[in-house]
Amino acid sequence: MNLALWIGAGLLAAVALTGGVTKTFVPGEKLAAAPGGEWTAAVEPGLVKALGVLELLAALGLVLPAALGIAPVLVPVTAVCWVLLMIGAMITHGRLGEFRFVALNVVYLALAAFVAWGRFGPQPFTT
C-alpha cells in the first residue's frame, strides 16, 4: 500500500509539474491554441499564471514533505487541494464540451483522493 501511495503521489506530482510549467511559462496565445488550453483565452493571463504556480506548489507538496520528513501531513493536504482543483477543471472543460479532458480530470481526481485517503488513513507517514 505504501508503494502504491508513493507511486500515485509521484504520478500526480509529474502531472502537476507539467501543467504548472506550461501554465506559468508558455505564452498565452500558444497555450490557448493547444488542445485543452482553449479555456485560457477567456480568462486573465494572471489567473492562468496563478493556477500554474499553484500546480508547481502541488508538485512539490505531493512529494517533498514526506521525502524530507518535514511536515509529511502536507502530502494528503495537498492531495485534497488537488481534488478541489480537479473539480474546477472538470467544470471548466465540461462547460466547453471537452469531455475527454473531463474524463482525464476524473482520473487525476480519483488518484488524488486515493493518496489523501491512504495518507490520512491506513498508511500515514507517522511511525
Side-chain angles (χ1 to χ4, degrees):
M1 175 72 98
N2 186 47
L3 179 61
L5 290 166
W6 270 106
I7 291 170
L11 289 172
L12 284 176
V15 168
L17 182 64
T18 303
V21 167
T22 302
K23 289 178 186 76
T24 304
F25 300 110
V26 172
E29 303 80 36
K30 188 173 181 182
L31 191 57
E38 294 87 358
W39 64 272
T40 61
V43 299
E44 293 293 321
L47 175 61
V48 176
K49 300 252 185 260
L51 287 171
V53 169
L54 287 175
E55 289 185 25
L56 291 172
L57 292 172
L60 297 173
L62 285 164
V63 176
L64 282 184
L68 298 175
I70 300 171
V73 72
L74 290 177
V75 173
V77 169
T78 302
V80 169
C81 292
W82 188 261
V83 166
L84 298 174
L85 186 67
M86 289 302 99
I87 291 170
M90 290 165 38
I91 291 168
T92 300
H93 288 295
R95 286 181 177 166
L96 295 173
E98 299 172 338
F99 297 109
R100 63 186 174 140
F101 291 110
V102 172
L104 185 60
N105 294 139
V106 168
V107 172
Y108 297 152
L109 183 147
L111 190 54
F114 170 69
V115 170
W117 167 80
R119 291 305 182 197
F120 276 134
Q123 284 290 315
F125 288 112
T126 58
T127 54

